[in-house]
Amino acid sequence: VTAPARFSGPVTGVVEATPSGDYLQQLFAAGVLIPLGVDGLYARSGGFEAVVDALDRLITRIGRPAWVGADGRSEPEPEVMRLPPAMSRSIFERTGYMSAFPQLAGTVHCFCGDERAHRELLELLESKSDWAAGQTTSELVLIPAACYPIYPIMAERGTLPPGGRVVDIGATCFRHEPSREPTRMQMFRMREYVRMGEVAEVDAFRAGWLERGRSMVTSLRLPFVVEAASDPFFGRTGRLMAAGQIEQALKLELQIPVNSSDAPTACLSFNYHQDKFGATWGLRTSNGAVAHTCCVGFGMERLTLALFRHHGFDTATWPAGVRDILWPEQASP
Ligand SMILES: [Zn+2]
């Protein structure tokens, strides 16, 4: 089996490099994903979660050692934070997400009425009418990208220390885009490393992680391509923003063919925000300049689905080299 020329990385899996067939149906049939009645929302098997856990530990191992960036200085030790699936609505509003991606946001609404309102609610439910109109916005919004809640936390601490900061984040994210592509879930887990500091530090971090990401995916024997990409900005203005993003290569994606080779799936992304979040939250470097930030994100479900697609549903039969990377504690000496 040979990979299409477009993709790099060795392809030795049991599944062809050009995926075919309805992958979602295959995942259901194998019991890897279990339908929950909504496209993009699935329960996951023990085997699936074992791979997610192994990837999570692998990413931690890759991100742990203090390494020397292109500027010759070593990176700060990552600070670990794990987030609940929701964030504060007022912080969400300040991120500008509703102007850029209103179609993807998920806000939490609740019943806040009295007993009379409850009786009306019951009547609406009984008559199968629209009962949701009476729901009120709560202070919670589902997290659309793992790093969003981090910037105000860091700004609250004051000026960045010399050398800046690195944060290791994990969160369950939500995007309202129901799809039959198993890689496009509505709720999914993201690991991220976020770098905050001077331009040179942020640049070196992104370049370094691009190399680490390539070598990680190569070691997992998955074919991939790295492309400049854009976020799914809404509307006509959004299309201009997306074009600018690609032109400046602010977003790079490591894409792996999972559903199809024609439209490979972004499994890792490397995002340079320039000083957008620094300016929004008043985050400054030790020199007093507005901080620049970047993040590297790992789509945990997408990487897992890529591994199942290329190496088969039974992890026991995966290539020994791949198993040794994911489960080094079980590796033969
Ligand atoms: Zn991010």
Side-chain angles (χ1 to χ4, degrees):
V1 180
T2 48
R6 187 165 164 241
F7 297 100
S8 46
V11 181
T12 55
V14 295
V15 177
E16 69 274 29
T18 305
S20 58
D22 186 336
Y23 190 29
L24 186 61
Q25 283 307 326
Q26 293 168 23
L27 289 158
F28 288 163
V32 174
L33 295 181
I34 298 102
L36 290 173
V38 179
D39 285 344
L41 193 71
Y42 312 111
R44 304 161 306 243
S45 71
F48 189 97
E49 289 304 291
V51 176
V52 171
D53 289 347
L55 282 169
D56 204 39
R57 290 193 301 271
L58 173 62
I59 292 164
T60 301
R61 285 199 298 279
I62 294 172
R64 190 166 43 206
W67 52 298
V68 179
D71 59 352
R73 276 193 289 182
S74 60
E75 293 290 340
E77 198 63 35
E79 177 178 345
V80 177
M81 261 185 233
R82 295 293 176 263
L83 300 164
M87 63 187 288
S88 139
R89 176 157 59 96
S90 52
I91 289 173
F92 173 81
E93 285 164 2
R94 278 183 68 183
T95 64
Y97 196 85
M98 280 312 270
S99 48
F101 314 104
Q103 78 281 22
L104 300 178
T107 49
V108 179
H109 286 58
C110 299
F111 172 79
C112 298
D114 54 15
E115 288 200 43
R116 194 182 134 193
H118 185 224
R119 279 194 298 278
E120 287 164 9
L121 171 68
L122 293 177
E123 281 165 24
L124 291 168
L125 283 167
E126 183 70 25
S127 62
K128 299 207 175 349
S129 307
D130 177 17
W131 55 271
Q135 298 279 97
T136 349
T137 49
S138 75
E139 254 313 304
L140 301 186
V141 175
L142 300 177
I143 292 184
C147 65
Y148 274 51
I150 294 303
Y151 306 104
I153 296 175
M154 294 301 155
E156 185 75 17
R157 290 183 187 174
T159 302
L160 291 171
R165 290 188 195 278
V166 175
V167 190
D168 163 354
I169 308 167
T172 297
C173 301
F174 173 85
R175 285 181 201 163
H176 183 244
E177 44 180 0
S179 167
R180 294 286 294 172
E181 284 183 6
T183 49
R184 197 168 292 283
M185 294 189 185
Q186 296 203 60
M187 299 196 101
F188 52 92
R189 285 163 287 182
M190 259 171 96
R191 266 295 288 280
E192 282 197 29
Y193 284 91
V194 182
R195 183 74 167 102
M196 306 167 195
E198 293 166 17
V199 176
E201 291 166 342
V202 167
D203 265 358
F205 187 83
R206 192 165 83 137
W209 265 107
L210 190 56
E211 275 322 297
R212 290 169 157 199
R214 281 183 212 266
S215 80
M216 180 185 114
V217 174
T218 302
S219 75
L220 295 173
R221 303 199 190 175
L222 296 169
F224 66 89
V225 65
V226 174
E227 300 269 23
S230 63
D231 289 312
F233 296 103
F234 186 79
R236 195 183 309 159
T237 323
R239 281 194 287 281
L240 292 174
M241 290 168 80
Q245 206 180 17
I246 290 177
E247 199 178 327
Q248 297 177 72
L250 296 179
K251 183 183 192 69
L252 300 174
E253 288 179 345
L254 188 151
Q255 303 168 349
I256 303 173
V258 184
N259 307 301
S260 78
S261 294
D262 299 338
T265 298
C267 292
L268 278 67
S269 70
F270 310 85
N271 309 288
Y272 177 31
H273 318 122
Q274 298 169 299
D275 64 356
K276 177 180 180 287
F277 291 121
T280 300
W281 298 106
L283 188 63
R284 292 187 173 272
T285 68
S286 55
N287 297 333
V290 176
H292 282 235
T293 65
C294 74
C295 67
V296 50
F298 302 82
M300 303 305 289
E301 280 79 5
R302 288 181 171 190
L303 275 168
T304 302
L305 289 167
L307 285 162
F308 280 121
R309 184 54 141 168
H310 288 277
H311 301 317
F313 290 144
D314 182 2
T315 55
T317 65
W318 286 7
V322 173
R323 291 189 50 86
D324 290 351
I325 297 283
L326 289 172
W327 295 281
E329 65 281 6
Q330 296 170 15
S332 46

